[in-house]
Each structure stands twice: as structure tokens, then as C-alpha cells.
């Protein structure tokens, strides 16, 4: 069974940093593109970043230069290093698996971890 | 990339069919057969219901179907059930291999 479990969320001050983790199991982690998607409570979904199986990374304009996606294949864990955090980064962050590398079909999602940026 | 356009809400009675539209541009919906639909119940993670316009993942009821015409995609749910009540989001691939999402549609089963 495919499982994705996020952790690392919490309360952080504006300008601060946080690292999110997503532990994957039940599939060949290194073979799949992986994404981070966020959702402001009560609002819609917004794509944040992805990392392809060849380690190529892409970011939404709103986080480019502040967030870094990476993965540890040995630990089957996806990361999102977030820095220079702003109030508008407050959201539930989900990691998700890309079904076959289309960049669009996210077939498995974690339960999400809440990041709150506030003083 | 601007968000795709969905109606804020739709409703239907049990047993009826409803359709949710998702309008984009030639740079996303109209340009690629990478439209997906997600169901999200309150407090839960999104669940993939349709991918590549009309394909259903294993385990998804055949009451859910998708299609696309030009820059507009649509999700149809037939034989509406109380358990279908949720938020539904469309997404589309783009030329950058990144998804753009719709604003979401709240489905109410009357």
C-alpha cells in the first residue's frame, strides 16, 4: 500500500525557516516524480514544487528562490526546505506522488502538515 | 499561470447527474490531455478521481466520468449519492510539466 506521511509543520515567525519531510513507503520512491501542493485553510489547492526522478526541480513563482525541494532516496523521504517565510505561506502542505510523470496526475497524497507563519 | 475556472458550487438530488465545468486556455486545458479531477472531503487530503481527461484510477466508481472540448473540461457524476458530497478540483498539465488547479467546486447533495 502506498503511504505518504508528512511532518515538520508548525508555527514559525515571518522571515524564519522550516523543513518539511514526507516519508514514503509501498512503492519505488526513486522512480517517481514527487510534488508539494499547499492549501490555505478554506481555500483551494496551489502547486508548490516538484522533483523529477532525474532530480530536476521546478518551483512556483511564489516560492522560487525561497523554497528548495529535495529527496533522500536511501530514506525514501521527500523534503521541502522553506526559508524567508511570509504570512502568505501559511497553509497545509501536502506531498503527492505523480502517477506516471505527466506533471499533472497526483494519485497518492499524504495527510498534510500545517505551516503557520505568524509573529 | 492563472487558476482554472470552476463554478463555486453545484447541487443535485440523490440519483441525479451533475456536471462540473473547468475552463482554462490553450496553454493548459486546451493544449494537453492532462486534465485531472480530485475529490476532497472536509479535513481530508485530495483523492484523484479522473486523470488524463477521462481515465479512472483503480477503485474509483464508474459513476465518475470526464471529458474535454476545446479549453473546457468537465466532470460528470451520475447516480448521485450522499457520499459524493465534497469539494472537487480540476487541474491541468502545462507546458512546464507543472499542474495548475481550478478554484474548486462545492458539491451539495440535497
Amino acid at each position: 500500500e502506498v503511504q505518504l506521511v508528512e511532518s515538520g509543520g508548525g508555527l514559525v515567525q515571518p522571515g524564519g525557516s522550516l523543513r518539511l519531510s514526507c516519508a514514503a513507503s509501498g512503492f519505488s520512491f526513486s522512480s517517481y516524480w514527487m510534488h508539494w501542493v499547499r492549501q490555505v485553510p478554506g481555500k483551494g489547492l496551489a502547486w508548490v514544487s516538484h522533483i523529477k526522478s532525474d532530480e530536476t526541480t521546478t518551483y512556483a513563482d511564489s516560492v522560487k528562490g525561497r523554497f528548495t525541494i529535495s529527496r533522500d532516496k536511501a530514506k525514501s523521504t521527500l523534503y521541502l526546505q522553506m526559508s524567508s517565510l511570509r504570512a502568505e505561506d501559511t497553509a497545509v502542505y501536502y506531498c503527492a506522488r505523480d502517477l506516471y510523470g505527466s506533471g499533472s496526475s497526483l494519485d497518492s497524497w499524504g495527510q498534510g502538515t500545517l505551516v503557520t507563519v505568524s509573529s | 499561470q492563472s487558476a482554472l475556472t470552476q463554478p463555486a458550487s453545484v447541487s443535485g438530488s440523490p440519483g441525479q447527474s451533475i456536471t462540473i465545468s473547468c475552463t482554462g486556455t490553450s496553454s493548459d486545458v486546451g493544449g494537453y490531455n492532462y486534465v485531472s479531477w480530485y475529490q476532497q472531503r472536509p479535513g481530508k487530503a485530495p483523492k484523484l478521481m479522473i486523470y488524463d481527461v477521462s481515465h479512472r484510477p483503480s477503485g474509483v466508481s464508474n459513476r465518475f466520468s470526464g471529458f474535454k472540448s476545446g479549453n473546457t473540461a468537465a466532470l460528470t457524476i451520475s447516480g448521485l449519492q450522499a457520499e459524493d458530497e465534497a469539494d472537487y478540483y480540476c487541474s491541468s498539465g502545462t507546458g512546464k510539466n507543472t499542474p495548475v488547479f481550478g478554484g474548486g467546486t462545492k458539491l451539495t447533495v440535497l
Side-chain angles (χ1 to χ4, degrees), chain B residues 51-108:
Chain B
Y51 68 97
D52 292 356
V53 178
S54 60
H55 292 79
R56 279 186 308 276
S58 174
V60 172
S61 170
N62 59 10
R63 298 186 298 106
F64 292 81
S65 61
F67 68 92
K68 187 188 84 166
S69 178
N71 295 337
T72 299
L75 172 72
T76 295
I77 308 174
S78 59
L80 207 57
Q81 300 179 359
E83 67 196 44
D84 299 330
E85 187 161 291
D87 293 328
Y88 290 84
Y89 294 90
C90 64
S91 79
S92 174
T94 67
K96 300 178 181 179
N97 285 141
T98 62
V100 58
F101 289 95
T105 298
K106 181 178 180 60
L107 169 62
T108 300

Side-chain angles (χ1 to χ4, degrees), chain A residues 1-67:
Chain A
E1 178 194 5
V2 174
Q3 271 203 313
L4 299 171
V5 179
E6 300 97 337
S7 61
L11 176 63
V12 61
Q13 293 189 336
S17 298
L18 208 58
R19 188 177 82 159
L20 306 183
S21 300
C22 169
S25 61
F27 65 101
S28 179
F29 177 70
S30 59
S31 301
Y32 284 82
W33 295 18
M34 296 295 296
H35 298 252
W36 287 100
V37 176
R38 67 185 180 184
Q39 184 174 35
V40 174
K43 302 296 184 183
L45 301 171
W47 177 78
V48 174
S49 178
H50 76 211
I51 183 167
K52 298 181 179 180
S53 49
D54 67 0
E55 305 298 293
T56 303
T57 59
T58 309
Y59 300 91
D61 288 344
S62 58
V63 307
K64 200 173 296 182
R66 300 187 300 121
F67 290 11

Side-chain angles (χ1 to χ4, degrees), chain A residues 2 4 27 32-34 95-99 105-108:
Chain A
V2 174
L4 299 171
F27 65 101
Y32 284 82
W33 295 18
M34 296 295 296
C95 64
R97 185 182 80 164
D98 195 309
L99 178 60
S105 309
L106 308 185
D107 73 325
S108 296

Side-chain angles (χ1 to χ4, degrees), chain B residues 15-39:
Chain B
Q16 289 186 331
S17 294
I18 63 95
T19 297
I20 300 171
S21 62
C22 171
T23 301
T25 69
S26 58
S27 296
D28 37 64
V29 174
Y32 307 91
N33 287 324
Y34 289 150
V35 176
S36 297
W37 289 91
Y38 301 89
Q39 176 193 69

